[in-house]
Amino acid sequence: MGFGNVSERRSAPPQVGVSVVILALGPKHSQISQNSDGDVPLNKPDMNNGDRSDRSRLWLPLVRRVKQPFLGDWALPGGGLRADRSLEQSAFAALESTTALHPRYLEQLYTFGDPERSHGGLPMVSIVYWALVGQGETAGFEEGDNVRWFPEDTLPPLAFDHREIVDYALTRLRSKIEYSDVATRLLGPTFTLRQLHDVYEAIDGKLVDLANFRRKILASGMLEDTGEKTREGRQRPATIYRYASERTPRISAPYAFDGGEVNAATVERDPVDDALSALMPSRPERRRHAEHAQ
Amino acid sequence: MGFGNVSERRSAPPQVGVSVVILALGPKHSQISQNSDGDVPLNKPDMNNGDRSDRSRLWLPLVRRVKQPFLGDWALPGGGLRADRSLEQSAFAALESTTALHPRYLEQLYTFGDPERSHGGLPMVSIVYWALVGQGETAGFEEGDNVRWFPEDTLPPLAFDHREIVDYALTRLRSKIEYSDVATRLLGPTFTLRQLHDVYEAIDGKLVDLANFRRKILASGMLEDTGEKTREGRQRPATIYRYASERTPRISAPYAFDGGEVNAATVERDPVDDALSALMPSRPERRRHAEHAQ
DNA sequence: GCAAAAGTGTTTATGATACACCCATGA
DNA sequence: TCATGGGTGTATCATAAACACTTTTGC
């Protein structure tokens, strides 16, 4: 299906797709050796050891491009839209098809559509989502030659404008961590205050006073004491908390995508600050693009 | 151009368009009489009188649908995408084609794409922008039978999910006014602190202590004394300020759309808080939707 | 001088930060 | 009992809110 000529192509609508920035907490330094082609560390973040000092950097999975342009470069996982799927479902599907990960958080980031970004190919509008994956969510994940995890601060050159997109996702995460619960989504369902504290420090470089952090978080009421205590290490056991939003039942599931080993229903929009949570579980509708054809 | 059958249509990509929520400051009560069909007040907000008490509500223009579904209902201005235009340009074009308004602020709001919203017609993804129009910007604007201004709090029934979209835009405005300069974009290029104060009160219902407001705004450094004073009324003249961002020259114009009586270059993204301002004037790229086809 | 709006001062409450200190546990 | 991280107390500082007060103009 080709376009007739340049001017027809220019006035035609662009292609549309979905991409996802997936973020997870990983070790500060890779434990496995460097890779053959000189790329920076790249084993997947190990989610299951209790070693605090080594769990303090954000990692994200990228896929290698197998087509021009940017053949061989790393890019964000993505996929197409389908008329019978919500954008979130499409994002989820894109995410799943490349990484088999089940996010604990998924939110729309931004829609990129500048003609310049197409780099000579078909113009493309990308609706980008960002996702947070908790610890333990990566159990079934296998890295291949075309999918690999990278630490956020040592990314390889990325295709298209994907580098800026990643940067924007990180900016959003860093901003959102200050007034919402997103940090908890990078951990498992339960965690200690120290673990949560480490997430905060990992996300925005600077050190956070642990004593004040404790008070602030506890005062915010977003955590709930599970009644349990850690039983590791040789120190005083720490209280184990859980994110308290289970109290506030979802009005409606953000999307009905359900399957896989981890329940997709655990994926939520931010209930506090993302106004869409309140507005979006909205009612059906249809909007043909004929509004300005009065 | 029809689709073959239902399942083909379902797996096909949806249509894509752009819509805009346009907001401007208007009088609290309409000065002209009610409309024939019983709709709520609807003359366009008068931007040019100095009557404070009457300048305290948000208004927005809607267009009447001339097709099914929702024929005759009011809807957001919108239009199509073109491969050779940025999303902002498309938003600007949509805005212009229906209202001839020149916004002082334009920012992407959200992309809506739930299949349910299509109400039985062709599935539609809407990339929605919101715009703020300052006083005096509406000079050349003419209302027709198919375009009309409504006060934000007495909207008629809207087509599709446009009501939720408007609500979300208002939520974003109310949130953003607290940590950015958007409020100034609803006024003219210069204004008194009292006027700005009134905008704040108009936007989020509650009263704001004028003394504290004055200190806070002034301390934020976002305003600049023009050196001029008001010379109206029979009271002490007020200092006239201007938004101080002219100091901080734009790195690059958000988009190159230039034309019409008001310079489109005055449309800016929020320079402080919208991280995209820093990231988006980014470099070209192209992203075909083939990422997950490894 | 008086009304009306502009603009300043001052007190109080609230929250963030820094950091000293005590507690519970395993070895 | 000591090392280690868990957890609390408290003084200090910055900011927000409340509101009394002074200033400048036109009439």
Side-chain angles (χ1 to χ4, degrees):
Chain A
M1 38 129 132
F3 291 94
N5 57 41
V6 172
S7 70
E8 272 181 31
R9 175 187 294 188
R10 288 167 63 85
S11 60
Q15 299 270 101
V16 187
V18 174
S19 294
V20 194
V21 180
I22 304 165
L23 299 168
L25 223 47
K28 187 147 215 150
H29 305 287
S30 74
Q31 290 142 331
I32 307 189
S33 59
Q34 295 274 109
N35 182 270
S36 49
D37 47 274
D39 276 346
V40 235
L42 24 60
N43 58 304
K44 81 168 163 174
D46 181 352
M47 304 308 196
N48 296 313
N49 64 17
D51 183 355
R52 264 208 335 100
S53 67
D54 212 23
R55 187 199 295 136
S56 41
R57 207 156 46 153
L58 289 170
W59 291 61
L60 59 157
L62 298 171
V63 302
R64 203 193 285 274
R65 283 188 57 82
V66 293
K67 288 185 184 175
Q68 290 292 357
F70 296 104
L71 199 164
D73 279 357
W74 295 96
L76 294 173
L81 287 187
R82 277 176 48 172
D84 61 341
R85 282 183 179 166
S86 72
L87 300 178
E88 269 162 349
Q89 283 170 334
S90 295
F92 193 88
L95 190 156
E96 248 197 342
S97 69
T98 51
T99 66
L101 290 177
H102 295 267
R104 284 169 49 81
Y105 186 80
L106 183 65
E107 183 190 316
Q108 190 178 302
L109 181 67
Y110 198 81
T111 298
F112 298 80
D114 200 288
E116 308 287 291
R117 71 192 296 271
S118 68
H119 268 249
L122 286 175
M124 184 78 189
V125 170
S126 292
I127 303 168
V128 181
Y129 276 75
W130 63 295
L132 299 182
V133 179
Q135 305 201 60
E137 300 289 333
T138 59
F141 175 63
E142 287 301 313
E143 268 191 347
D145 194 39
N146 288 327
V147 180
R148 212 180 268 164
W149 286 83
F150 296 88
E152 153 262 321
D153 53 354
T154 54
L155 293 179
L158 301 193
F160 304 115
D161 53 358
H162 289 194
R163 180 54 198 254
E164 288 99 279
I165 294 178
V166 169
D167 286 343
Y168 184 44
L170 291 170
T171 301
R172 181 98 132 228
L173 171 60
R174 292 190 173 111
S175 153
K176 201 139 193 175
I177 203 181
E178 313 219 328
Y179 61 94
S180 85
D181 64 289
V182 283
T184 64
R185 312 307 179 94
L186 285 165
L187 294 168
T190 62
F191 44 83
T192 65
L193 281 182
R194 162 78 68 166
Q195 288 176 313
L196 188 59
H197 171 255
D198 287 358
V199 177
Y200 275 77
E201 288 197 338
I203 289 180
D204 57 24
K206 55 189 178 231
L207 297 178
V208 180
D209 184 287
L210 188 47
N212 295 327
F213 174 81
R214 162 186 306 280
R215 264 187 295 261
K216 201 168 114 182
I217 291 291
L218 255 17
S220 80
M222 85 186 199
L223 298 191
E224 208 168 58
D225 190 334
T226 61
E228 289 176 83
K229 301 268 181 186
T230 51
R231 193 160 303 278
E232 38 181 272
R234 60 194 189 288
Q235 326 80 339
R236 176 174 178 176
T239 306
I240 297 180
Y241 293 89
R242 132 182 71 234
Y243 175 53
S245 85
E246 276 73 28
R247 303 169 313 165
T248 318
R250 290 288 138 267
I251 308 299
S252 76
Y255 59 90
F257 203 96
D258 200 319
E261 57 219 73
V262 179
N263 189 350
T266 55
V267 181
E268 299 166 2
R269 288 205 206 75
D270 180 275
V272 180
D273 303 279
D274 185 349
L276 282 177
S277 327
L279 299 168
M280 302 254 42
S282 51
R283 52 181 167 289
E285 128 156 24
R286 151 165 191 275
R287 181 177 180 282
R288 293 181 61 197
H289 126 230
E291 271 67 8
H292 86 299
Q294 328 152 30
Chain B
M1 39 133 144
F3 292 95
N5 56 42
V6 172
S7 69
E8 273 181 31
R9 174 187 294 188
R10 288 168 64 85
S11 60
Q15 300 269 101
V16 186
V18 174
S19 294
V20 195
V21 181
I22 304 164
L23 299 168
L25 223 47
K28 187 144 215 154
H29 305 286
S30 74
Q31 290 142 331
I32 307 190
S33 60
Q34 295 277 107
N35 182 273
S36 48
D37 46 273
D39 278 343
V40 235
L42 25 61
N43 56 304
K44 82 170 161 171
D46 182 351
M47 304 306 196
N48 296 313
N49 65 14
D51 183 353
R52 265 210 331 101
S53 67
D54 212 21
R55 187 199 295 135
S56 42
R57 207 156 45 153
L58 289 169
W59 291 61
L60 59 156
L62 298 172
V63 302
R64 202 192 287 272
R65 284 187 57 81
V66 294
K67 291 185 182 177
Q68 288 294 355
F70 296 103
L71 199 165
D73 280 356
W74 296 96
L76 293 173
L81 286 187
R82 277 175 48 172
D84 60 341
R85 281 183 179 167
S86 72
L87 300 178
E88 269 163 348
Q89 282 171 333
S90 294
F92 193 86
L95 189 156
E96 248 198 342
S97 70
T98 51
T99 67
L101 290 178
H102 295 268
R104 283 167 50 81
Y105 186 80
L106 183 64
E107 183 191 314
Q108 190 177 302
L109 181 66
Y110 198 81
T111 298
F112 298 80
D114 201 288
E116 308 288 290
R117 71 193 296 273
S118 69
H119 268 248
L122 286 176
M124 184 78 189
V125 169
S126 292
I127 302 168
V128 181
Y129 276 74
W130 63 293
L132 298 182
V133 179
Q135 304 200 63
E137 299 290 333
T138 58
F141 175 67
E142 286 302 314
E143 267 190 349
D145 196 37
N146 289 326
V147 181
R148 213 179 267 165
W149 286 84
F150 296 88
E152 152 264 321
D153 54 354
T154 53
L155 293 179
L158 301 194
F160 304 116
D161 53 359
H162 289 193
R163 181 53 198 256
E164 286 100 279
I165 294 178
V166 169
D167 286 342
Y168 183 45
L170 291 170
T171 301
R172 180 99 133 229
L173 171 61
R174 291 187 175 113
S175 153
K176 199 138 196 177
I177 203 180
E178 312 218 328
Y179 60 95
S180 87
D181 64 288
V182 283
T184 63
R185 313 307 179 93
L186 285 164
L187 294 168
T190 61
F191 44 84
T192 64
L193 282 182
R194 162 78 69 169
Q195 287 176 313
L196 188 57
H197 171 255
D198 287 358
V199 176
Y200 274 76
E201 288 198 337
I203 289 180
D204 58 24
K206 56 189 177 233
L207 297 179
V208 179
D209 183 289
L210 189 46
N212 295 327
F213 174 80
R214 161 185 308 278
R215 264 185 297 259
K216 203 166 112 182
I217 291 290
L218 255 18
S220 79
M222 83 187 203
L223 297 191
E224 209 169 57
D225 190 333
T226 62
E228 289 176 83
K229 303 265 180 189
T230 51
R231 194 159 301 277
E232 39 183 271
R234 59 193 190 289
Q235 326 80 338
R236 176 174 177 175
T239 306
I240 297 180
Y241 293 89
R242 135 182 67 232
Y243 175 53
S245 85
E246 275 73 30
R247 302 169 312 165
T248 317
R250 289 291 137 266
I251 308 298
S252 77
Y255 59 89
F257 202 96
D258 199 318
E261 57 219 75
V262 178
N263 189 351
T266 55
V267 181
E268 300 165 2
R269 287 205 207 76
D270 181 275
V272 180
D273 303 279
D274 186 350
L276 281 177
S277 323
L279 299 168
M280 303 255 41
S282 50
R283 53 180 166 292
E285 128 156 23
R286 150 162 193 276
R287 181 175 180 286
R288 295 180 60 199
H289 128 231
E291 271 67 7
H292 86 299
Q294 326 154 27

